[in-house]
Amino acid sequence: MPVNIDRPDVDGKLTGRIDVTRDTRIISALRLRVGTDNPTTPNPQVGLSKYPVYANFGGTLGVEQDFNRLQLQVNGNVDRTVYQYSKLTDGTSASNDDRNFNQYGAQARLSYDLMPGLKPFVEVEADTRVHDLRMDRYGYERDSNGGYLKGGTSFEFSRLLTGEFAVGYGLREYQDPRLKRLDGLLTSASLVWTATGLTTVRFAAASSIDETTLPGVSGSLSRDYSVQIDHAFRRWLIGTARFGYGTASYDTRQDKRYFAQADLIYKLTRTFAIKGSVRHDWLVSNDSGADSNQTIVMLGVRVQR
């Protein structure tokens, strides 16, 4: 555990749309994520003075076309992940250049407006990850190609229950023949239930194939599920309770994650809000000595338009 455990948390997204014609739209997005490795993962180095900060930023540009009830959306994505140097307790620093990489991908979704409030879809994505350094610190080539295929539906039932869910299959092949292919079932969901005029319940599910620094391990297959309850005590004061469960598979290592979180949001204006958060995480692993728990307290500003 580093001497200084403070770490930043920034998450931003900007989206745009241009209606070229009634049936054709150009869509775009910019995104930024600033943070550190989660302390519950095996990726942080030993002997850290504090967690190295990473930035993940990128953009999307695509076209959405309607063919009567049929809709086709094609996107191109470019993202970059870059880590700062690690500061160690002995006063030295260590490079993380081998963890920096660019990701280039394309995504297509074909959906059909089956009936009002029900829109099934099929989605496919392919991408490639190219690291700044050919070899990582342990001599492994981490460049890879991957993608997924999934099917699901979006829905809206009387505005009380809206969202989408999907199930599919994802895989990633690595340049280094010593790193085996990583694949598995993927699930995603984003459901919103408006229980009352003041209370909203949200369920979310996400799966991903993530990078790792463990020698001889391809990566991790992560699945996360969460429930969030929002209640408006006043128009300008929102309370939130979140609970979550997740798993991460690192070859022979299997981790289970749990968290409980409470937020309080004070809206200064329609655009700016102050957000306070308290969160506790638990990690249960089959790797001896890896179990841990932590409490995180955050105070920040949220900008939303």
Side-chain angles (χ1 to χ4, degrees):
M1 181 69 71
V3 176
N4 183 352
I5 60 175
D6 292 342
R7 51 197 182 101
D9 184 65
V10 178
D11 195 357
K13 187 175 183 180
L14 179 65
T15 60
R17 191 181 85 174
I18 300 175
D19 293 331
V20 180
T21 68
R22 186 184 66 177
D23 297 325
T24 305
R25 294 164 292 278
I26 296 175
I27 56 178
S28 61
L30 295 174
R31 49 190 167 270
L32 170 66
R33 179 80 172 91
V34 178
T36 70
D37 285 322
N38 192 313
T40 62
T41 71
N43 293 323
Q45 297 165 268
V46 176
L48 287 174
S49 173
K50 65 177 182 178
Y51 292 109
V53 176
Y54 74 82
N56 174 266
F57 51 91
T60 295
L61 183 63
V63 176
E64 191 176 74
Q65 178 68 47
D66 293 338
F67 303 95
N68 199 358
R69 290 190 174 187
L70 196 67
Q71 184 180 86
L72 175 64
Q73 180 178 326
V74 179
N75 298 332
N77 305 306
V78 178
D79 292 275
R80 176 161 176 78
T81 299
V82 58
Y83 282 79
Q84 68 175 184
Y85 271 53
S86 295
K87 295 183 179 179
L88 308 179
T89 53
D90 62 4
T92 62
S93 61
S95 171
N96 286 303
D97 288 352
D98 60 336
R99 303 187 67 185
N100 300 340
F101 68 93
N102 297 323
Q103 178 168 309
Y104 311 96
Q107 180 186 68
R109 173 185 283 207
L110 185 65
S111 57
Y112 184 76
D113 195 358
L114 186 63
M115 62 179 68
L118 190 63
K119 196 172 186 178
F121 64 85
V122 176
E123 184 174 297
V124 62
E125 182 185 76
D127 67 70
T128 183
R129 293 176 182 173
V130 181
H131 288 73
D132 289 7
L133 301 183
R134 178 169 168 266
M135 298 282 191
D136 73 1
R137 65 197 68 187
Y138 299 108
Y140 289 90
E141 297 178 81
R142 290 284 176 183
D143 290 355
S144 62
N145 298 307
Y148 65 75
L149 174 65
K150 65 181 182 180
T153 186
S154 58
F155 55 86
E156 180 178 348
F157 299 133
S158 68
R159 298 190 180 276
L160 296 180
L161 182 62
T162 61
E164 73 172 48
F165 68 87
V167 177
Y169 177 80
L171 63 85
R172 183 156 295 278
E173 295 271 6
Y174 294 84
Q175 185 73 27
D176 198 310
R178 295 171 295 174
L179 299 176
K180 67 180 183 180
R181 185 175 77 173
L182 194 58
D183 58 8
L185 178 71
L186 302 181
T187 57
S188 63
S190 177
L191 311 179
V192 180
W193 173 40
T194 305
T196 71
L198 300 177
T199 304
T200 303
V201 180
R202 306 172 191 271
F203 172 78
S207 303
S208 60
I209 296 177
D210 303 319
E211 300 286 301
T212 186
T213 60
L214 293 176
V217 178
S218 303
S220 67
L221 178 58
S222 301
R223 300 184 179 94
D224 292 280
Y225 312 90
S226 66
V227 175
Q228 176 176 318
I229 303 171
D230 298 317
H231 182 76
F233 298 103
R234 293 289 188 274
R235 185 179 59 181
W236 42 267
L237 186 64
I238 311 296
T240 299
R242 293 185 65 207
F243 307 93
Y245 166 76
T247 62
S249 175
Y250 300 85
D251 198 7
T252 59
R253 171 171 167 164
Q254 307 294 323
D255 291 351
K256 295 181 180 179
R257 304 184 297 265
Y258 308 86
F259 77 84
Q261 179 175 332
D263 300 339
L264 193 62
I265 299 172
Y266 180 81
K267 294 185 177 181
L268 300 172
T269 66
R270 296 184 64 179
T271 302
F272 296 96
I274 297 175
K275 179 180 178 181
S277 177
V278 178
R279 171 171 168 150
H280 192 82
D281 289 88
W282 297 266
L283 172 70
V284 179
S285 176
N286 66 350
D287 188 6
S288 178
D291 291 3
S292 65
N293 64 85
Q294 60 174 334
T295 300
I296 303 169
V297 179
M298 292 187 293
L299 181 64
V301 176
R302 188 175 73 176
V303 181
Q304 183 175 358
R305 296 199 67 178

